[in-house]
Amino acid sequence: MGLNEFLEDLHSIDRQRLHLERCVALLQWDQETYLPEKGVDERAEQLAILEGISHERLASPETGRLLSELGSTAEDPTGNEKLPSLERDFLKTFRKKYDRAVRLPARFVSEAARAEGLSQAAWVRARQDNDFSAFLPHLVKMIDFSRQKAMYWGYKDNPYDGLLDIYESGMGEKEVSAVFTPLGEKLKELLKKITSRSRPDNSFLEAEFDIENQACFNRDLLTRLGFDTCRGRMDLSAHPFTTTLGSNDVRITTRYLKRQVQSGIFSTIHEAGHAFYDMGFPEELRGSCLADGASMGIHESQSRLWENVIGRSRPFWEAMFPALRTYFPVALSSHTAEDFYQAINLVEPSLIRIEADEVTYSLHIVLRFELEKELFSGVLDPANLPAAWRGMMKKFLGMEPETDAQGVLQDVHWSMGSFGYFPSYALGNLYSLQFWEKLKSDIPMADEQIRAGNFSSIHAWLKDTIYIWGHRQDPRDLLMTVTGKSLSSEPFLDYVESKYAGNFS
Amino acid sequence: MGLNEFLEDLHSIDRQRLHLERCVALLQWDQETYLPEKGVDERAEQLAILEGISHERLASPETGRLLSELGSTAEDPTGNEKLPSLERDFLKTFRKKYDRAVRLPARFVSEAARAEGLSQAAWVRARQDNDFSAFLPHLVKMIDFSRQKAMYWGYKDNPYDGLLDIYESGMGEKEVSAVFTPLGEKLKELLKKITSRSRPDNSFLEAEFDIENQACFNRDLLTRLGFDTCRGRMDLSAHPFTTTLGSNDVRITTRYLKRQVQSGIFSTIHEAGHAFYDMGFPEELRGSCLADGASMGIHESQSRLWENVIGRSRPFWEAMFPALRTYFPVALSSHTAEDFYQAINLVEPSLIRIEADEVTYSLHIVLRFELEKELFSGVLDPANLPAAWRGMMKKFLGMEPETDAQGVLQDVHWSMGSFGYFPSYALGNLYSLQFWEKLKSDIPMADEQIRAGNFSSIHAWLKDTIYIWGHRQDPRDLLMTVTGKSLSSEPFLDYVESKYAGNFS
């Protein structure tokens, strides 16, 4: 057998694994949208079986043999130099998945999965009861399992680097700190400036907005954004998400709140941004591990670009507000696109991350990043986390939660052992503006096109410039390829400063 | 290892296989309800992968080893005599699945699957173009593959017995003929009597019935029938069906036609009947191959019992008509429950099986059974099937189709190689009345309860008497266990005669 045959066999394993993961994704999608209440237990069993088979396929001795026949090793994953660059990128990405899968002992995986299940359930109760101490032993365990995971997988300088690497391949604590620390300081200053000004009136958004009409408007909006319903769909779920069940089957969910019409709208746009990315990988990558986003943060940059940079812009609502008003003539008759624009862009410190605006959102993330660093360096005892949380809130947002439920217990991530995940959100914000800066220089008329409700050249640019790479490049390389620059918070800071403090600068 | 350990391992294989089949069922359900148009090709790949894995699990050498350790052979499948009867029933049923799976060579399975795909596509085109000759070569292949399948599996007297056995285990051609031949004659006579009378007016059912209101009424109806939406759900699809994704996740679909309100209603009731069966297996059978209907025909008896015997009865519409009228006050204001009862029970010969009434339906089946027998005995050349079809239509229904599209090409079954399937439908009709006769003798007040919209003792009876057996017994044994009698068309004939020709007898 020659290289081509080995490659073909490896692609076939990858394709099977991918399809099995998509079956898993369908089971999960169904669980969040349509599964009857009492079907949950058996669904969990079905998921465990499929995930087990998918893992078996990936981590089989046959996979290892093919990788080594192709010259791919853990140290030098890209394999034989005779292979074309696309295949070497494939080997690099696939090898990483393989190494991740085989390095964790089966016993560890099942113990960790069990502990995560218990921890998440304990977190739900602890948040309800506002009882951090009940969650603490689970949190300690999750930190320990995460540290062990990092050990098994290997890391650059410290275990937290190994965790960051799961979500942002190639990004370490030092690199993120170098950007996040000044970002935090500058956003704090900006926030002070903004809150010293008069607050725009957003009370009209608290009127009653009929759910049926919200659903109709959001469907219209999705179509006008350019979402192809022959290749995807939108449903309802408690927590909006995007999932890929096939190259031509990318699904998003949203949710409607009667007294917060903007909640559904921005969920829809955010998830559509994720979906455009997953729908846009080039034909040649489909059915392989390269048909994926470059990282969590790059994926988030796509959702945020649509949700915030485009979706919270003045031109966007000049285009969309008339349609919104036809669905809600009573609530909106005496309001203009400009009123709506001001109202949806209200900036003020708040306790809850997922309700935060564009300026304070990244502060919530920097805070979590600081705490994660301290937890993993051992400086911070998990038992002292609530106090440390309040201190950080005071420092970054100038306010403190009255309860742990509104503080350290608000997010699910740590209860699942997902340490290192939070930074991706703020990195997504930064990436999105680095990309947008480049897009604007390539498409100087972008704002005018948005004002005309025309997104076709933006879609084409994203597809040809970002989506085209799929998972072939790490976020750092992709950033360099697309923008010619490395990670920087400057474009993001310029954007929020000119948008929110224009009068002061 | 002792018997108990072997048994435990075999149950674990069975449970995995069952869960994988339910994953397959979810993928198929999604394909019929929510899958975006362009997702179909990749879905087919995903289905093939899961079906392959499910087959691997079932037909593994490990399965064979465990079966033989437990004393189960093809000739004596129930295994070691020391085992409790439940486990021996399990072995019998599981062994049959295993034998079916291992006796077909892998190459034959994939060739047959490919040919079926092509045949079904050819049938769709042939029906559109009314061109039987274009379908003929595929039909010939399907007959040949079915005959080979019967050879691999083995059969009693002739290959057609082997095909009948797939759907009605233990039922052979002779046994079915002995019942169907006189049934056909008697129904023909009855039909003559009925059509000589004046035809009830059902034109008011052709008014416009708003789809949204139909959806609301059908949801109400489903709840009033006793369908537990914590353990199942109802969606829309082009062709209504029931599918089981878990003991607590049984899903039905229905469809609404604007000018045929009864179509959606009887689809809903029919599928609910199937669902009640699948929801009602006892705890001890769940997660095993015994948590299944006794046969296709027994399953059909449950859907028909609800759709026809209960759902097309006078007491039922005395209970439900007032609600229906509140949803459609304009179309139904001048009509009574009795008008509706008469209209939905119109009997007249027609060309299309799925549109047939209670009396002519079984004639459509007897006709197909006669043709299948002739095709497999070699008496009928497939090329002469259209002429034979017209002859049979003339004989049984006194009318002939003008086109093959409305004749021999109307059903999908033969194009998929599903010979031997049709008889199950008419057997379902017969079984349902045999069961109903027994139910009425155990619950003399059944009609009064239906009139009060109270189905609880009917549900309890079905559960304790029929569902409780799951797949433990073959249809013949189940019939004997439940009714003390063997297969008979008498209760069915008594029922249709008294319902439709009461005035004549």
Side-chain angles (χ1 to χ4, degrees):
Chain A
M1 268 173 79
L3 286 182
N4 281 338
E5 282 77 15
F6 294 129
L7 208 47
E8 210 173 287
D9 287 356
L10 197 64
H11 275 297
S12 152
I13 288 176
D14 183 38
R15 198 176 174 89
Q16 278 228 0
R17 174 203 62 77
L18 183 68
H19 275 311
L20 285 166
E21 278 186 13
R22 285 168 171 179
C23 293
V24 166
L26 174 65
L27 268 69
Q28 288 167 333
W29 170 84
D30 183 73
Q31 179 162 343
E32 301 302 324
T33 52
Y34 296 117
L35 183 71
E37 199 180 311
K38 292 188 181 162
V40 174
D41 292 346
E42 276 173 307
R43 179 54 52 86
E45 253 185 271
Q46 292 162 357
L47 278 166
I49 290 171
L50 283 193
E51 282 166 349
I53 295 170
S54 170
H55 180 270
E56 260 174 41
R57 287 282 191 275
L58 174 61
S60 73
E62 171 70 359
T63 311
R65 194 184 65 80
L66 291 167
L67 280 167
S68 83
E69 294 281 8
L70 288 159
S72 168
T73 62
E75 295 69 35
D76 187 5
T78 52
N80 195 300
E81 286 172 12
K82 285 183 212 138
L83 293 168
S85 70
L86 177 62
E87 297 298 353
R88 302 195 75 193
D89 289 345
F90 163 68
L91 284 174
K92 185 182 68 181
T93 301
F94 187 81
R95 172 97 220 176
K96 191 156 190 172
K97 273 187 192 296
Y98 171 77
D99 285 340
R100 283 256 156 90
V102 294
R103 284 179 186 170
L104 297 186
R107 201 197 160 115
F108 174 81
V109 172
S110 67
E111 271 175 25
R114 210 181 105 78
E116 277 166 34
L118 295 173
S119 169
Q120 227 185 307
W123 167 76
V124 169
R125 283 191 307 273
R127 190 166 76 154
Q128 267 165 13
D129 305 346
N130 187 39
D131 181 1
F132 178 78
S133 66
F135 174 56
L136 180 60
H138 294 278
L139 179 65
V140 170
K141 246 185 214 161
M142 286 301 104
I143 294 171
D144 185 49
F145 274 112
S146 293
R147 202 187 300 274
Q148 285 185 61
K149 213 177 265 185
M151 303 282 211
Y152 284 122
W153 283 337
Y155 49 79
K156 212 162 50 179
D157 296 328
N158 56 56
Y160 188 53
D161 282 340
L163 301 176
L164 284 170
D165 192 72
I166 305 173
Y167 308 101
E168 292 302 300
S169 178
M171 290 277 180
E173 183 186 316
K174 271 188 203 152
E175 199 162 1
V176 176
S177 286
V179 175
F180 277 17
T181 308
L183 174 69
E185 291 308 316
K186 283 177 186 154
L187 287 177
K188 267 171 61 182
E189 280 168 42
L190 177 63
L191 183 59
K192 260 188 222 153
K193 274 198 217 168
I194 297 168
T195 48
S196 68
R197 293 164 53 175
S198 69
R199 187 182 179 282
D201 174 30
N202 70 344
S203 61
F204 67 99
L205 294 181
E206 285 158 27
E208 203 168 285
F209 289 83
D210 176 70
I211 299 284
E212 261 315 305
N213 285 349
Q214 288 196 45
C216 292
F217 173 73
N218 276 270
R219 286 196 181 281
D220 275 11
L221 180 62
L222 197 62
T223 305
R224 293 181 68 180
L225 287 171
F227 186 96
D228 179 356
T229 51
C230 293
R231 300 183 56 214
R233 49 179 295 120
M234 176 161 76
D235 297 271
L236 297 178
S237 69
H239 303 285
F241 65 94
T242 301
T243 186
T244 294
L245 311 183
S247 323
N248 289 317
D249 185 5
V250 179
R251 306 189 185 185
I252 70 173
T253 67
T254 190
R255 60 160 184 184
Y256 306 120
L257 304 177
K258 210 167 201 164
R259 295 198 172 272
Q260 262 177 282
V261 69
Q262 73 278 26
S263 170
I265 292 171
F266 291 105
S267 292
T268 299
I269 307 176
H270 180 98
E271 302 306 333
H274 280 303
F276 293 144
Y277 195 10
D278 283 346
M279 284 170 158
F281 302 125
E283 201 70 50
E284 58 178 4
L285 305 186
R286 292 191 182 173
S288 105
C289 59
L290 294 178
D292 200 356
S295 72
M296 292 293 307
I298 299 290
H299 229 303
E300 199 67 11
S301 79
Q302 297 309 300
S303 56
R304 304 250 160 177
L305 188 135
W306 284 95
E307 178 193 354
N308 292 337
V309 188
I310 298 173
R312 290 185 196 273
S313 74
R314 204 173 256 123
F316 186 83
W317 286 104
E318 286 171 10
M320 302 297 175
F321 189 73
L324 183 65
R325 196 159 49 186
T326 63
Y327 283 100
F328 304 104
V330 178
L332 298 177
S333 62
S334 60
H335 292 278
T336 63
E338 180 63 23
D339 295 339
F340 190 75
Y341 169 72
Q342 293 290 342
I344 59 172
N345 283 301
L346 175 70
V347 171
E348 63 186 359
S350 64
L351 295 173
I352 306 296
R353 174 183 62 86
I354 60 167
E355 291 166 10
D357 52 74
E358 281 189 282
V359 174
T360 56
Y361 191 93
S362 295
L363 288 172
H364 286 276
I365 298 304
V366 172
L367 171 164
R368 284 158 178 76
F369 172 66
E370 293 298 332
L371 293 174
E372 288 188 343
K373 278 199 297 187
E374 293 183 5
L375 284 171
F376 279 86
S377 70
V379 171
L380 174 61
D381 181 336
N384 297 329
L385 196 56
W389 183 280
R390 285 192 295 272
M392 288 279 185
M393 279 296 292
K394 188 91 193 161
K395 174 180 164 195
F396 285 112
L397 287 146
M399 67 196 300
E400 278 182 50
E402 283 180 22
T403 66
D404 288 334
Q406 290 192 299
V408 67
L409 291 173
Q410 70 184 263
D411 292 311
V412 70
H413 304 59
W414 290 344
S415 78
M416 301 160 67
S418 298
F419 299 95
Y421 188 122
F422 282 123
S424 302
Y425 293 123
L427 288 170
N429 288 337
L430 305 186
Y431 298 148
S432 72
L433 269 301
Q434 290 193 264
F435 292 144
W436 186 248
E437 191 177 62
K438 177 71 172 120
L439 183 151
K440 285 283 285 270
S441 87
D442 289 347
I443 313 175
M445 303 287 286
D447 280 346
E448 286 70 19
Q449 293 175 2
I450 294 172
R451 190 171 293 115
N454 173 4
F455 304 102
S456 56
S457 51
I458 293 175
H459 278 300
W461 187 91
L462 291 169
K463 198 168 170 179
D464 295 344
T465 316
I466 297 174
Y467 307 167
I468 194 171
W469 292 102
H471 200 295
R472 292 184 66 178
Q473 304 199 17
D474 275 353
R476 286 188 307 188
D477 298 335
L478 182 66
L479 215 46
M480 190 55 78
T481 303
V482 174
T483 69
K485 293 177 185 163
S486 50
L487 178 64
S488 157
S489 60
E490 229 172 274
F492 175 75
L493 284 165
D494 287 351
Y495 160 77
V496 283
E497 270 173 28
S498 94
K499 178 169 177 180
Y500 292 101
N503 301 347
F504 296 88
S505 59
Chain B
M1 269 172 78
L3 286 182
N4 280 338
E5 283 77 13
F6 294 130
L7 209 45
E8 211 172 284
D9 287 355
L10 197 65
H11 275 297
S12 152
I13 289 176
D14 183 39
R15 196 174 176 90
Q16 279 228 2
R17 175 204 61 77
L18 183 67
H19 275 311
L20 284 165
E21 278 186 12
R22 285 168 172 180
C23 293
V24 166
L26 175 64
L27 268 68
Q28 288 167 332
W29 171 85
D30 182 73
Q31 179 162 342
E32 301 301 324
T33 51
Y34 295 117
L35 183 70
E37 197 180 311
K38 292 187 181 163
V40 174
D41 292 346
E42 277 174 305
R43 180 55 52 86
E45 254 186 88
Q46 293 162 357
L47 279 166
I49 290 172
L50 283 194
E51 282 165 350
I53 295 170
S54 170
H55 180 270
E56 259 174 42
R57 286 282 191 278
L58 174 60
S60 74
E62 172 70 1
T63 311
R65 193 184 66 80
L66 290 167
L67 280 167
S68 84
E69 294 282 8
L70 288 159
S72 168
T73 62
E75 295 69 36
D76 187 6
T78 53
N80 194 300
E81 286 173 11
K82 284 183 213 138
L83 293 168
S85 69
L86 177 62
E87 298 298 352
R88 302 195 76 191
D89 289 345
F90 162 68
L91 285 173
K92 185 182 68 178
T93 300
F94 187 81
R95 172 97 221 178
K96 191 154 189 173
K97 274 187 192 296
Y98 171 78
D99 286 339
R100 282 255 156 92
V102 295
R103 283 180 186 169
L104 297 186
R107 199 196 162 116
F108 174 82
V109 172
S110 65
E111 272 175 25
R114 210 181 104 78
E116 277 167 32
L118 294 173
S119 170
Q120 227 185 308
W123 167 76
V124 169
R125 284 192 306 274
R127 189 168 74 154
Q128 266 165 13
D129 304 343
N130 187 40
D131 181 1
F132 178 78
S133 66
F135 175 56
L136 180 59
H138 295 278
L139 180 65
V140 170
K141 246 184 214 160
M142 287 301 104
I143 294 171
D144 185 48
F145 273 112
S146 293
R147 202 187 299 273
Q148 284 186 60
K149 212 177 265 187
M151 303 282 210
Y152 283 122
W153 284 336
Y155 49 79
K156 211 162 50 178
D157 296 328
N158 57 56
Y160 188 55
D161 281 340
L163 301 176
L164 285 169
D165 190 71
I166 305 172
Y167 308 101
E168 293 300 302
S169 179
M171 290 278 181
E173 184 186 316
K174 271 188 205 152
E175 199 162 0
V176 176
S177 286
V179 175
F180 276 18
T181 309
L183 174 69
E185 291 309 315
K186 284 180 185 153
L187 286 177
K188 266 172 62 183
E189 281 169 39
L190 176 62
L191 183 59
K192 259 189 222 153
K193 273 199 218 168
I194 296 169
T195 48
S196 67
R197 294 164 51 176
S198 69
R199 187 183 178 283
D201 174 30
N202 70 344
S203 61
F204 67 99
L205 294 182
E206 285 158 27
E208 204 168 284
F209 288 84
D210 176 71
I211 299 283
E212 260 316 304
N213 285 350
Q214 287 196 45
C216 292
F217 173 73
N218 276 269
R219 286 197 179 282
D220 276 9
L221 180 62
L222 197 62
T223 305
R224 293 180 68 179
L225 286 171
F227 187 95
D228 178 357
T229 51
C230 294
R231 299 184 56 215
R233 47 179 295 119
M234 176 163 75
D235 296 271
L236 296 178
S237 70
H239 304 284
F241 65 94
T242 301
T243 186
T244 295
L245 311 183
S247 322
N248 290 316
D249 185 5
V250 179
R251 304 188 187 187
I252 69 172
T253 67
T254 190
R255 60 160 183 182
Y256 306 119
L257 304 178
K258 211 169 200 160
R259 296 197 172 271
Q260 261 177 282
V261 69
Q262 74 278 25
S263 171
I265 291 171
F266 291 104
S267 291
T268 299
I269 307 175
H270 180 97
E271 302 306 333
H274 280 304
F276 293 143
Y277 194 11
D278 283 346
M279 285 170 157
F281 302 125
E283 202 71 51
E284 58 177 5
L285 305 186
R286 293 192 181 172
S288 105
C289 60
L290 293 178
D292 201 355
S295 72
M296 293 291 308
I298 298 291
H299 228 303
E300 200 66 13
S301 79
Q302 296 310 300
S303 56
R304 305 248 159 179
L305 187 135
W306 283 96
E307 178 194 354
N308 292 338
V309 187
I310 297 174
R312 291 185 196 271
S313 74
R314 202 172 257 125
F316 187 81
W317 286 104
E318 287 170 10
M320 301 297 175
F321 190 74
L324 183 65
R325 197 159 50 185
T326 61
Y327 283 99
F328 303 103
V330 178
L332 299 177
S333 62
S334 60
H335 293 277
T336 62
E338 180 64 22
D339 295 340
F340 190 75
Y341 169 74
Q342 293 290 342
I344 59 171
N345 283 302
L346 175 71
V347 170
E348 62 187 358
S350 65
L351 296 172
I352 306 296
R353 174 184 62 88
I354 59 165
E355 292 166 9
D357 53 74
E358 281 189 285
V359 174
T360 57
Y361 190 94
S362 295
L363 287 171
H364 286 275
I365 298 304
V366 172
L367 171 165
R368 285 158 177 76
F369 172 67
E370 293 297 332
L371 293 173
E372 288 188 342
K373 278 199 297 187
E374 292 183 6
L375 284 171
F376 279 85
S377 70
V379 170
L380 174 61
D381 181 337
N384 297 329
L385 195 56
W389 182 280
R390 286 192 295 273
M392 288 278 186
M393 279 296 291
K394 188 90 194 162
K395 175 179 163 195
F396 285 113
L397 287 145
M399 67 195 300
E400 279 181 49
E402 283 179 22
T403 66
D404 288 335
Q406 291 191 299
V408 67
L409 290 173
Q410 71 182 261
D411 291 311
V412 69
H413 304 60
W414 290 344
S415 79
M416 301 161 67
S418 297
F419 299 94
Y421 188 122
F422 284 124
S424 302
Y425 294 123
L427 288 171
N429 289 336
L430 306 187
Y431 297 147
S432 72
L433 268 301
Q434 290 193 265
F435 291 145
W436 186 249
E437 192 178 62
K438 176 72 171 122
L439 183 150
K440 285 282 287 270
S441 87
D442 288 347
I443 312 176
M445 302 287 284
D447 281 344
E448 285 69 20
Q449 294 175 3
I450 294 171
R451 189 171 294 116
N454 173 3
F455 304 103
S456 56
S457 50
I458 293 175
H459 278 301
W461 187 91
L462 291 170
K463 199 169 169 180
D464 296 344
T465 316
I466 297 174
Y467 308 168
I468 194 171
W469 291 102
H471 200 295
R472 292 183 67 178
Q473 303 199 16
D474 276 352
R476 286 187 307 188
D477 296 335
L478 182 66
L479 215 47
M480 190 56 77
T481 303
V482 174
T483 68
K485 293 177 186 162
S486 50
L487 178 63
S488 157
S489 60
E490 227 173 276
F492 175 74
L493 284 166
D494 287 351
Y495 159 78
V496 283
E497 271 174 27
S498 93
K499 178 168 177 181
Y500 292 102
N503 302 349
F504 297 87
S505 61

